[in-house]
């Protein structure tokens, strides 16, 4: 278990202010946030590469806040991989084993196993300068994993890769994690990566943790409008609450439960809003008549903007249904969504 | 474009700009090669025009004529019979090589760790240190020499010398080492710092996260990655020490005319007594009228400089001078 308590780091223009995190043993933790949120700084603080101002970091109950990086048992893999250019692939991977007291046989087995699993056996005699991005990535992973750290920190491991490679490496990471007792701590700004990999996640912004929990929780119940925006919630509307109903610019919306404040926001994921030509005979309690104000081509889907009074709701419709419903600018339609689809914060 | 040109087709259109480009290229080549050729010939002439002055014989001194190139040029030296027979020449070479090697070792021992610290750590007053050392590269060496004289002949350093019982100024040890050290160190430091700056600290950080101590990460990662730059810095420091003139002349002066008693037994044993720093010897010999000597010594320095630059190119550390 990694526990971070009230961590403060000041590093030029980057600040971490009172970061609190608890990461389960052997989990796959994903830290998300926009560029400049301080994700890499947090990573380097855990690895011991930047000085910590205040606070505490413990790994499996051991206080590592002021230990030098080599005594932490924390591996790090950077976005640019940082493979040693003057060493062959094999020497890069075994770098961490060279000066360490360890069971040679077991290390050899682990080396063979990782090399096999990552499919880099044919690269062992080559130098990093001659490898492709995907190959560099695999070698860097092998180098970090062969020393069996308690935690491995991955700094945006997928962002520098082509889309095709990305899928491969994502599966590989999942498998590597499944087969080891190592805690994976990955930084990304891509939410879809988190969805497939993480058991636990946190969102970071401006040097502080904004929300933490399971990915599902964050995805469905964002704690702030920043998180909602970050995870792709499109309909975020300021609201005034009265019991289990919310008033949003003159519309009364049923919400799942009472809110502790009288004002706040509601959000509805666009895929939860159903568009129809006539009012639906269904259990959906919220239904409004509106006019199509915009249609945006999103590739597989159309994003339909429906104006209801002064508000605009965004909804996704497949291209097929758009044709079936004959959706066009200015058409009168009905939007409906379940009470449970309304997220209140 | 007119209709007529269009009708002639693409091949005709392409021909005239092609011809123009070819003549442009020819013009450029003519200018470029004549300019480069002029520069080369000029340098070659500079170095070789007086080569025959080295081969003056007793007979030539009598006739006051040099015959090697078939011109009636005047003999520029008063010392005939071969400079290589004169112990002063060998002693001076010996002295300069010995001192510059010592200076380079010292500069490297102090400079490489300093450069590493300046490149990797946040040090208060770092800018001041950098400006101070870089400015030494652009001020005349004579002013450095003058500063050294004042520094060592007054104040705390003077008292130190009184306690130790020997003088720093106008001495071989440690005077020449001090005088040649200053600029050699400054030039080496700038090269070493640039080298460490060019090695991303991330490699070291990864090495440490893989279990290496600070020292081991430096030794196994940064050092091998920086080695050609560091070697270039050492060569630069050595050549700079070799080429030092002003500082040594001001701080140490000349030793040729000093009585043998002025030199210690060690200096006599090392064959560096009554000898001069090479570049100072060039100046001194020319002043005495022994231009032959000047050339002989100058050729040695030219040769050493050329070999050093070539060595730097061979180890792949171009860009520090050229």
């Amino acid at each position: 278990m990694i526990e971070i308590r009230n961590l403060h780091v000041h590093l030029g223009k980057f600040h971490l202010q009172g970061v609190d995190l608890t990461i389960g043993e052997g989990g796959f933790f994903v830290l998300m946030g926009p560029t400049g949120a301080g994700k890499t700084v947090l990573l380097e603080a855990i690895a011991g590469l930047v000085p910590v101002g205040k606070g505490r970091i413990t790994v499996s109950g051991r206080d590592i806040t002021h230990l030098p990086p080599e005594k932490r048992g924390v591996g790090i893999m950077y976005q640019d991989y940082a493979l040693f250019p003057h060493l062959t692939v094999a020497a890069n991977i075994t770098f961490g084993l060279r000066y360490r007291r360890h069971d040679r046989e077991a290390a050899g087995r682990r080396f063979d196993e990782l090399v096999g699993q990552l499919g880099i056996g044919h690269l062992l005699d080559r130098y990093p300068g001659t490898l492709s991005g995907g190959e560099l990535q695999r070698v860097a992973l092998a180098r970090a994993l062969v020393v069996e750290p308690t935690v491995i920190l991955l700094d945006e491991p997928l962002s520098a890769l082509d889309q095709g490679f990305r899928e491969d490496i994502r599966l590989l990471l999942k498998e590597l994690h499944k087969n080891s007792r190592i805690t994976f701590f990955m930084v990304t700004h891509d939410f879809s990566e988190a969805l497939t990999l993480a058991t636990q996640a946190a969102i970071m912004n401006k040097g502080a943790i904004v929300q933490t929990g399971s990915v599902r929780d964050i995805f469905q119940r964002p704690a702030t409008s920043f998180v909602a925006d970050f995870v792709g919630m499109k309909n975020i509307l300021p609201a005034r609450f009265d019991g289990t109903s919310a008033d949003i610019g003159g519309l009364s919306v049923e919400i799942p439960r009472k809110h502790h404040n009288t004002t706040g926001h509601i959000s509805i994921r666009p895929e939860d809003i159903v568009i129809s030509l006539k009012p639906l005979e269904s259990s959906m309690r919220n239904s409004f008549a509106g006019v199509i104000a915009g249609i945006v081509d999103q590739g597989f889907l159309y994003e339909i903007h429906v104006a209801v009074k002064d508000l605009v709701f965004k909804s996704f419709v497949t291209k097929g249904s758009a044709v079936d419903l004959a959706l066009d600018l200015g058409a009168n339609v009905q939007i409906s969504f379940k009470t449970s689809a309304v997220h209140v914060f | 474009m007119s209709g007529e040109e269009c009708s002639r087709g693409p091949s005709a259109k392409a021909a005239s700009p092609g011809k123009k480009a070819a003549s442009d290229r020819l013009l450029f080549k003519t200018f470029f090669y004549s300019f480069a050729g002029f520069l080369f010939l000029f340098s070659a002439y500079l170095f070789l025009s007086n080569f025959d002055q080295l081969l003056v014989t007793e007979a030539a001194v009598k006739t006051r004529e040099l015959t090697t190139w078939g011109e009636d040029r005047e003999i520029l030296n008063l010392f005939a019979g071969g400079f290589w027979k004169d112990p002063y020449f060998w002693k001076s070479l010996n002295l300069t090589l010995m001192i510059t090697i010592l200076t380079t070792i010292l500069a490297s021992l102090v400079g490489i760790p300093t450069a590493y610290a300046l490149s990797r750590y946040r040090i208060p007053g770092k800018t001041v240190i950098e400006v101070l050392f870089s400015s030494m590269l652009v001020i005349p060496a004579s002013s450095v020499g003058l500063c050294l004289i004042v520094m060592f002949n007054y104040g705390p350093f003077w008292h130190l010398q009184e306690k130790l019982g020997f003088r720093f100024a106008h001495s071989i040890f440690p005077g020449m080492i001090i005088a040649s050290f200053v600029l050699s160190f400054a030039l080496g430091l700038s090269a070493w710092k640039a080298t460490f700056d060019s090695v991303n600290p991330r490699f070291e950080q990864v090495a440490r996260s893989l279990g290496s101590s600070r020292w081991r990460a430096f030794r196994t990662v940064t050092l091998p990655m920086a080695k050609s730059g560091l070697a270039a810095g050492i060569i630069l420091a050595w050549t700079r020490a070799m080429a030092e003139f002003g500082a040594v002349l001001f701080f140490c002066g000349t030793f040729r005319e000093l009585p043998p008693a002025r030199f210690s037994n060690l200096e006599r044993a090392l064959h560096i007594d009554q000898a001069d720093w090479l570049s100072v010897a060039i100046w001194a010999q020319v002043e005495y009228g022994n231009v032959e000597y000047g050339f002989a010594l100058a050729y040695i320095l030219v040769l050493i400089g050329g070999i050093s630059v070539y060595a730097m190119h061979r180890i792949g550390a171009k860009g520090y001078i050229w």
Side-chain angles (χ1 to χ4, degrees):
Chain A
M1 191 153 80
I2 311 175
E3 282 185 295
I4 300 169
R5 292 285 163 265
N6 194 29
L7 187 74
H8 284 72
V9 174
H10 295 276
L11 199 74
K13 20 184 229 279
F14 283 107
H15 299 285
L16 295 188
Q17 289 152 336
V19 170
D20 276 293
L21 266 183
T22 307
I23 297 156
E25 192 93 53
F28 201 124
F29 180 85
V30 171
L31 179 68
M32 284 168 285
T35 311
K39 304 181 299 269
T40 304
V41 177
L42 177 57
L43 218 67
E44 290 183 329
I46 298 172
L49 303 173
V50 296
V52 168
K54 211 165 80 179
R56 222 158 67 94
I57 306 169
T58 58
V59 172
S60 312
R62 193 164 70 112
D63 188 342
I64 61 161
T65 320
H66 299 291
L67 284 183
E70 62 268 25
K71 300 234 162 78
R72 294 187 175 214
V74 174
I76 187 162
M77 190 180 101
Y78 279 106
Q79 202 172 355
D80 58 6
Y81 319 126
L83 291 174
F84 306 129
H86 61 295
L87 298 177
T88 61
V89 166
N92 259 286
I93 298 173
T94 54
F95 185 89
L97 300 173
R98 267 201 279 172
Y99 304 105
R100 200 174 267 213
R101 227 184 272 270
H102 59 83
D103 180 354
R104 247 167 220 292
E105 222 168 277
R109 264 202 312 279
R110 215 161 49 241
F111 176 86
D112 292 338
E113 202 179 303
L114 273 169
V115 165
Q117 201 171 5
L118 290 160
I120 48 177
H122 59 295
L123 304 174
L124 292 177
D125 293 328
R126 285 172 53 186
Y127 283 89
T130 66
L131 304 184
S132 73
E135 289 168 342
L136 289 171
Q137 172 109 51
R138 286 156 192 266
V139 176
L141 268 173
R143 180 178 67 175
L145 289 171
V146 80
V147 297
E148 290 195 308
T150 348
V151 185
I152 178 167
L153 308 168
L154 308 162
D155 188 8
E156 307 210 10
L158 306 176
S159 62
L161 298 178
D162 296 335
Q163 193 60 50
F165 267 134
R166 216 182 277 195
E167 201 55 48
D168 288 354
I169 298 275
R170 202 188 294 189
L171 292 173
L172 201 61
L173 279 175
K174 202 168 181 130
E175 200 182 302
L176 287 170
H177 175 247
K178 209 172 64 193
N179 296 340
S180 71
R181 287 161 306 167
I182 301 170
T183 307
F184 279 54
F185 185 120
M186 184 171 107
V187 159
T188 180
H189 55 239
D190 184 347
F191 197 81
S192 62
E193 284 173 13
L195 274 175
T196 47
L197 290 170
T199 54
Q200 234 188 322
I203 309 268
M204 194 170 186
N205 190 34
K206 292 181 184 155
I209 300 288
V210 193
Q211 188 176 0
T212 166
S214 76
V215 192
R216 203 162 191 81
D217 259 8
I218 294 173
F219 190 55
Q220 284 172 346
R221 283 186 283 282
T224 66
S225 59
F226 169 78
V227 177
D229 201 34
F230 186 76
V231 302
M233 283 271 192
K234 295 264 182 184
N235 301 301
I236 304 166
L237 304 160
R240 203 186 301 277
F241 302 115
D242 180 19
T244 56
S245 75
D247 178 68
I248 47 166
L251 293 183
S252 179
V253 173
E254 300 248 352
I255 57 174
R257 60 197 148 76
K258 273 193 168 180
H259 193 59
H260 53 85
N261 268 340
T262 53
T263 56
H265 291 81
I266 66 163
S267 70
I268 309 141
R269 305 198 67 84
E271 53 269 39
D272 289 336
I273 296 179
V274 177
I275 292 186
S276 56
L277 296 174
K278 289 183 203 123
L280 290 176
E281 299 277 327
S282 83
S283 61
M284 292 190 230
R285 302 288 294 272
N286 298 304
S287 189
F288 307 101
V291 176
I292 296 182
I295 298 176
V296 182
D297 194 341
Q298 297 274 33
F300 296 113
L301 300 164
Y302 282 126
E303 185 183 301
I304 310 284
H305 298 188
V306 180
V308 181
K309 290 193 179 169
D310 294 333
L311 303 170
V312 175
F313 290 87
K314 287 165 189 161
S315 167
F316 289 140
V317 166
T318 61
K319 291 199 165 171
S321 1
V323 173
D324 286 346
L325 294 170
L327 298 181
D328 211 340
L329 282 180
N332 287 310
V333 290
Q334 196 75 20
I335 59 163
S336 322
F337 46 90
K338 287 182 184 170
T339 305
S340 61
V342 180
H343 175 62
V344 180
F345 55 96
Chain B
M1 189 188 285
S2 73
E4 197 193 355
E5 266 177 310
C6 276
S7 67
R8 270 192 285 158
S11 61
K13 262 190 293 172
S16 67
K19 220 179 246 172
K20 176 112 177 52
S23 74
D24 275 357
R25 265 203 301 280
L26 188 69
L27 198 65
F28 173 76
K29 276 185 182 168
T30 315
F31 273 109
F32 176 77
Y33 285 117
S34 44
F35 184 65
F38 168 73
L39 272 184
F40 175 75
L41 289 176
F42 178 74
S43 324
Y45 185 73
L46 183 73
F47 291 132
L48 297 175
S49 57
N50 290 297
F51 194 74
D52 52 355
Q53 294 279 353
L54 301 185
L55 310 164
V56 173
T57 57
E58 302 269 0
V61 172
K62 277 188 194 117
T63 58
R64 310 294 302 156
E65 260 174 38
L66 273 173
T67 49
T68 354
W69 283 8
E71 293 170 28
D72 33 344
R73 283 191 301 138
E74 202 185 342
I75 285 181
L76 295 165
N77 69 305
L78 304 170
F79 184 91
F83 60 87
W84 56 87
K85 290 181 198 153
D86 187 14
Y88 173 69
F89 173 79
W90 294 110
K91 279 182 178 177
S92 295
L93 190 60
N94 196 7
L95 167 78
T96 313
L97 284 175
M98 225 178 255
I99 299 287
T100 49
I101 287 168
L102 274 176
T103 301
T104 310
I105 290 171
L106 261 179
S108 308
L109 288 180
V110 182
I112 293 176
T114 310
Y116 184 75
L118 284 174
S119 166
R120 287 289 189 273
Y121 300 108
R122 274 189 286 178
I123 297 165
K126 189 163 150 180
T127 319
V128 179
I129 298 173
E130 282 172 13
V131 168
L132 213 68
F133 280 114
S134 323
S135 62
M136 285 200 199
L137 296 175
V138 293
I139 59 175
S142 54
S143 43
V144 173
L146 188 61
C147 292
L148 284 175
I149 289 185
V150 175
M151 187 169 127
F152 284 100
N153 283 354
Y154 299 93
F157 283 108
W158 179 249
H159 295 304
L160 176 73
Q161 291 170 57
E162 280 183 326
K163 279 211 185 83
L164 290 173
F166 61 91
R167 288 186 63 192
F168 287 6
H170 302 288
S171 68
I172 292 176
F173 294 116
M176 278 191 178
I177 292 182
I178 294 171
S180 60
F181 177 84
V182 178
L183 291 173
S184 162
F185 175 74
L187 189 63
L189 187 70
S190 74
W192 293 318
K193 181 171 179 296
T195 303
F196 285 127
D197 283 346
S198 73
V199 178
N200 194 337
R202 191 160 276 189
F203 292 112
E204 235 170 281
Q205 295 178 338
V206 169
R208 294 197 66 191
S209 80
L210 290 169
S212 304
S213 64
R214 197 186 284 272
W215 164 241
R216 189 165 283 150
F218 173 76
R219 202 169 53 79
T220 55
V221 176
T222 309
L223 207 56
M225 285 174 74
K227 69 171 184 243
S228 71
L230 294 181
I234 292 172
I235 296 174
L236 270 183
W238 182 60
T239 28
R240 189 68 197 80
M242 206 68 179
E244 189 48 72
F245 171 65
V248 175
L249 179 63
F250 268 66
F251 193 58
C252 306
T254 58
F255 293 85
R256 184 179 183 166
E257 305 300 324
L258 292 179
R262 261 293 308 271
F263 300 95
S264 68
N265 288 334
L266 178 68
E267 282 161 355
R268 269 195 291 273
L270 292 172
H271 294 285
I272 55 174
D273 58 315
Q274 290 185 301
D276 281 322
W277 190 256
L278 272 184
S279 59
V280 174
I282 296 175
W283 167 80
Q285 292 308 310
V286 173
E287 285 291 287
Y288 295 151
N290 287 337
V291 181
E292 176 205 4
Y293 244 107
F295 278 115
L297 298 165
Y299 279 119
I300 300 280
L301 288 180
V302 168
L303 205 65
I304 287 171
I307 291 170
S308 306
V309 173
Y310 177 71
M312 281 171 58
H313 278 242
R314 279 305 299 268
I315 60 173
K318 293 181 194 177
Y320 289 94
I321 337 181
W322 254 38

